[in-house]
Amino acid sequence: MPHNPARIGPYLCGAGQPLLWIAGPCVLEDFGAALHIAEELKRIASAVGVQLVFKASFDKANRTSVNSFRGPGLAAGLQILADVRDKTGLPITTDIHESSQAAPAGEVVDVLQIPAFLARQTDLLVAAAQTGKPVHVKKGQFMAPNDMRHVITKLGEGGCEDVLLCERGTFFGYGRLVSDMRSIPQMQALGCPVVFDATHSVQEPGGLGDKTGGNRAMVEPLARAAMALGADGLFTETHPEPDKSPSDGPNMIPLGEIEAVMRRLLKIRAAALG
């Protein structure tokens, strides 16, 4: 059976626990940029009273175009993440796309993340579980909330009991996603803490032709609904200048605005949980 609360690095996430906040840039650019974002997020997390895990991808393997920037790659990216962790003391997460990436990533990060497109990939899930690290799985855009019970079973077979499930939107025709907020309590009923991915939920896949679009104005309204439903965690991507970010800029929250957003969200969550 999965643990609830789940142990995520130095934190507990789940029933009766403070909000787990997974935040950072979509993709790693260089060490200086990652460190700047991580240090500012750490300051904000301390100021507002949440448990922060720093997130960034070493490789965006699912970009729309073959010409899009993907990141520094496995070895260089993991080194940047390790250096950020050493400098800030923050727990770190990154996503993996292939089973062979699980072991090296598991040696560096505190939580392994499985992208939504890969939520059904048995070998990938088992490889992630076998690292001994917690695993955060985003619900596939094509999956019903109850389908995630099979993800939990696969991870359990690999020895992982600290599991986070994530709602990040469901396909709604071509190029659009819709967030069904019922999935938060429905996935919590499976026994795991549930994270709401507020920034990927506003993506418009392929909306800009050769890259994904999005509508960052809708991030906070959706996150408010998730907080009102008692989500255990919140995932947000951020960048000092989202429109200059090499990936997912249209749906990211500007770094300078995210503290005010978090303060408003936490008031809603506190009221909802009594």
Side-chain angles (χ1 to χ4, degrees), residues 76-100:
L78 290 178
Q79 185 60 60
I80 291 172
L81 290 170
D83 291 344
V84 169
R85 187 178 188 225
D86 289 344
K87 287 285 187 180
T88 64
L90 290 172
I92 300 291
T93 188
T94 196
D95 40 358
I96 58 172
H97 298 84
E98 300 175 6
S99 301
S100 61

Side-chain angles (χ1 to χ4, degrees), residues 268-274:
I268 294 170
R269 186 172 189 265
L273 297 179

Side-chain angles (χ1 to χ4, degrees), residues 26-27 55-63 70-71 73-74 94-105 112-119 121-125 127-128 138 200:
C26 178
V27 65
K55 176 269 167 190
S57 299
F58 59 79
D59 178 20
K60 299 302 293 183
N62 58 349
R63 297 302 304 272
R70 288 179 51 166
L74 179 65
T94 196
D95 40 358
I96 58 172
H97 298 84
E98 300 175 6
S99 301
S100 61
Q101 297 173 342
L112 287 169
Q113 181 172 288
I114 306 298
F117 282 128
L118 302 175
Q121 295 298 100
T122 301
D123 290 347
L124 182 62
L125 291 169
K138 296 191 175 184
H200 286 107

